[in-house]
Amino acid sequence: MKFMFDDPTFSYEALRTLSYAPYGGADVGEVLTTAAAIEENNFESWYTHWLALADRVFARGKSFEQTGHMLSASQNYLKASNYYRSAEFFLHGNPDDPRLLATWSMSRDAFQKGIRLSNQCAEIVAIPYEDTTMPGYLYTIDDQPRPTLLVHGGYDSTGDELYFQVVIDALAHGYNAMTFEGPGQGAMIREQHLPFRPDWENVVGPALDFLEQRAEVQSDKIALMGISFGGFLAPRAAAFDHRLAAVIADDGVFTFSFADAFAARGHEGATFKDIEPTLKMLMAKSSNVRWVIDNGLFTFGVKTIEDLFNKTTAYSMAGIADKIQCPIFIGDAAGDGFFKGQPQHLYNAIQSPKTLVTFGPEDGAEEHCQMGALNYFNQRVFNWLDDTLQTN
């Protein structure tokens, strides 16, 4: 759907920011006013206006906190975290830009201030991972063992953002939730400089180990949700770690290979040198292509576009999808601007119990990861999860 901008990427990202309004991550008027001031297809304009809004809302939260109005302070800090996230979004073209780490840090800090002052039972956790730790948040309903949803994002999302996207609805449906950032994501890439890795089972495994030690978690009823590029990573993990009771791919992704993406667009068999001129032309014309490449160089830890193409070839479910044993829910956005057709491809390759749900414009749910209709998407997911895990 078109929202505020003619440019599809700006339209989608503005919708994404607004989509968290029902969950306390935005106010409608703040988003509309800010988006209206942004110059079309101008990354600097995008940064400037979202940052100004975030600073203003954060200052409001600080003022409320100083005068003892803790709930109001919490609500403003949480909104500010989402606005800082939006401001930082298009900065990845220059990983040395000091604004990148500074703005992301403000987003995380605002979120943690907000969650601490809220009534939510939330714990900031450090998940042991190789010779370091992965950052996460564990949200619990009470101290009783309950089914638990483990959630990670994808190519660009942060662990803080996932609170608005799915955690609030998970808790309302009777599920604990733990969100975390793995290599290539959030703090892992920005502070530890650890890029994405294809063997995601070695990332999810330590998170499962962590949850299995918690008294609040029913260890035989842990489901994994992966969002966006996470719609590849989560099924990949499920193929090799069979402790998972269920997996949700939002939306489903069969391959994240950039070479495969170009082959699907009529460049089958072409080398990188063959497609490089076309790619550079697209980067000059399309904010989406430019951002995808910029963010890929950043999150995969490579210096050249050719290296990025080579690095992503390992990200395919070919010969892997049929190893999944647990039930899987695959989301399919009818208007997906990133992975159109891939959910069906993943569905066809899986042999375990599987459900494919297509979300369309009649419900305002056709955008990537169902932005604009998160509550409806989450209802479908948790209804499926209730039935699958027999929690009712």
Side-chain angles (χ1 to χ4, degrees), residues 10-21:
F10 275 41
S11 173
Y12 176 79
E13 291 305 326
L15 178 64
R16 176 178 177 177
T17 303
L18 180 63
S19 291
Y20 302 136

Side-chain angles (χ1 to χ4, degrees), residues 114-297:
I115 208 69
R116 285 190 180 110
L117 293 177
S118 73
N119 296 321
Q120 179 59 60
C121 185
E123 179 183 345
I124 300 171
V125 299
I127 302 163
Y129 169 75
E130 296 188 346
D131 58 354
T132 184
T133 59
M134 297 186 293
Y137 300 97
L138 177 62
Y139 305 89
T140 54
I141 296 171
D142 50 33
D143 59 0
Q144 299 302 308
R146 292 182 179 273
T148 300
L149 183 66
L150 179 62
V151 191
H152 61 69
Y155 199 44
D156 57 84
S157 51
T158 67
D160 311 317
E161 178 186 12
L162 300 175
Y163 173 73
F164 308 115
Q165 191 163 359
V166 67
V167 169
I168 294 174
D169 273 337
L171 295 167
H173 283 267
Y175 293 81
N176 296 327
M178 187 172 81
T179 64
F180 76 99
E181 295 168 344
Q185 302 172 329
M188 296 290 280
I189 188 63
R190 291 168 177 82
E191 293 184 330
Q192 301 191 48
H193 310 292
L194 294 176
F196 279 117
R197 57 186 292 178
D199 54 341
W200 202 250
E201 62 275 11
N202 290 316
V203 176
V204 168
L208 287 172
D209 294 341
F210 182 90
L211 284 176
E212 287 178 339
Q213 302 305 311
R214 299 291 302 222
E216 311 96 319
V217 174
Q218 288 182 260
S219 59
D220 63 338
K221 290 188 177 181
I222 300 174
L224 174 65
M225 173 184 277
I227 296 168
S228 190
F229 175 35
F232 166 83
L233 298 171
R236 161 76 200 213
F240 294 97
D241 197 321
H242 298 146
R243 290 177 291 175
L244 291 165
V247 65
I248 299 107
D250 174 29
D251 294 318
V253 180
F254 183 83
T255 175
F256 198 73
S257 165
F258 282 33
D260 287 348
F262 265 80
R265 288 165 173 78
H267 297 274
E268 189 171 358
T271 66
F272 177 77
K273 296 300 182 185
D274 294 331
I275 63 177
E276 186 175 16
T278 300
L279 180 59
K280 289 184 174 180
M281 178 189 69
L282 289 173
M283 288 182 68
K285 291 184 175 181
S286 168
S287 62
N288 183 38
V289 176
R290 176 183 166 192
W291 173 81
V292 166
I293 297 298
D294 285 349
N295 195 63
L297 296 172

Side-chain angles (χ1 to χ4, degrees), residues 53-74:
L53 174 62
D55 283 343
R56 187 165 62 253
V57 174
F58 184 89
R60 189 190 305 153
K62 187 174 182 180
S63 175
F64 287 147
E65 183 180 8
Q66 290 171 342
T67 54
H69 300 287
M70 298 309 179
L71 179 57
S72 295
S74 171

Side-chain angles (χ1 to χ4, degrees), residues 239-240 254 316-323 349:
F240 294 97
F254 183 83
S316 171
M317 291 297 289
I320 295 174
D322 61 357
K323 299 181 187 300

